[in-house]
Amino acid sequence: MSAITPEKWQILPQNFYQRVDTNLIARQLLGKLLVTKLNGIICAVRIVETEAYHGITDRASHAWGGRHTNRTSVMYQAGGLAYVYLCYGIHALFNVVTNTINVPHAILVRAGEPVAGIGTMARRTGKNERHISLTSGPGNLSKALGIQTAHTGKSLQGNTVWLADDGFTLSSRRIAATPRIGVDYAGEDALLPYRFIIRDHPYLSGRS
DNA sequence: CGACCGATCGTCT
DNA sequence: GACGATCGGTCGA
């Protein structure tokens, strides 16, 4: 793995997010870094699991049927923003908004492998640095990185939360697509293969 | 193992 | 008033 050298990480540009193929973007996020800088402390994970949500036509999406509420309005912005919402009253789940304005697609980041700031992440969560659940699962991941609902709407070109490329590469053989987790309410849309994982990675949440 | 359950609160009906 | 894009614990087979 590469050294912890944040100054060499290339921030993913706006046009990475504003493409129309959200599944492709979700797949390309595997292996990238999700980074936070809070109170001057940098934490980062390498993304190993994502889920694409296809907006208006996707029963699993908060924007299904064109639902446009205060909470979901950020998804209707052009890609490149954070969409963070509270789940079960407890967990702040982190998504990246993709696609163009008025196309409310998003990608949930579900798990990562710790890369930087591991001590801080352990302190935030009260877990051992080496425990898998430190950054596995979307609620756990946000807690470790310090991501909160107040971060919703933030630009991913800013200096609080962003995604970056450190040169890590991944062959397509190591990537798999599966149904999404926890969306049984979505009927047959729950069966769509919109969850992307690095095969057999130890930090995956749920089943492989 | 798997099934179930409680926590906890913003959002939407 | 009902319900989560979850998690960690318990209980029983």
Side-chain angles (χ1 to χ4, degrees):
Chain A
M1 295 302 119
S2 56
I4 302 171
T5 51
E7 64 278 5
K8 294 186 178 173
W9 297 346
Q10 291 295 313
I11 187 166
L12 299 186
Q14 199 89 311
N15 61 20
F16 178 91
Y17 303 104
Q18 294 183 352
R19 293 171 293 162
V20 299
D21 188 341
T22 298
N23 280 348
L24 176 66
I25 300 170
R27 186 179 284 265
Q28 291 178 343
L29 285 181
L30 296 176
K32 300 299 193 292
L33 301 178
L34 172 57
V35 190
T36 59
K37 185 176 182 183
L38 302 168
N39 301 315
I41 302 174
I42 286 186
C43 290
V45 301
R46 188 175 310 288
I47 295 168
V48 302
E49 176 177 352
T50 61
E51 283 179 357
Y53 286 84
H54 287 229
I56 292 173
T57 62
D58 180 359
R59 293 183 102 88
S61 169
H62 292 159
W64 173 64
R67 293 208 310 283
H68 191 155
T69 65
N70 213 41
R71 176 178 68 154
T72 62
S73 64
V74 60
M75 283 200 285
Y76 288 80
Q77 300 296 113
L81 305 178
Y83 170 48
V84 185
Y85 73 94
L86 187 67
C87 185
Y88 292 98
I90 303 173
H91 307 289
L93 303 202
F94 173 82
N95 301 251
V96 304
V97 176
T98 65
N99 217 299
T100 59
I101 191 164
N102 290 331
V103 182
H105 289 196
I107 298 167
L108 173 67
V109 180
R110 291 190 55 91
E113 172 184 359
V115 169
I118 302 177
T120 295
M121 295 195 284
R123 178 174 53 72
R124 284 185 181 132
T125 59
K127 293 171 181 168
N128 186 286
E129 293 185 4
R130 304 185 6 162
H131 199 289
I132 290 296
S133 79
L134 184 69
T135 53
S136 178
N140 291 336
L141 181 63
S142 287
K143 187 167 187 183
L145 290 171
I147 293 171
Q148 304 174 154
T149 56
H151 296 130
T152 199
K154 279 203 170 303
S155 168
L156 300 175
Q157 310 301 120
N159 58 4
T160 302
V161 54
W162 67 92
L163 288 84
D165 186 342
D166 69 343
F168 180 88
T169 58
L170 199 56
S171 80
S172 58
R173 288 183 304 102
R174 295 180 57 196
I175 296 175
T178 81
R180 295 169 292 186
I181 304 286
V183 295
D184 293 341
Y185 58 84
E188 42 188 53
D189 286 355
L191 303 176
L192 295 168
Y194 289 175
R195 171 173 176 254
F196 301 94
I197 61 175
I198 298 180
R199 277 198 157 89
D200 302 318
H201 196 283
Y203 279 87
L204 291 180
S205 74
R207 68 172 220 302
S208 297

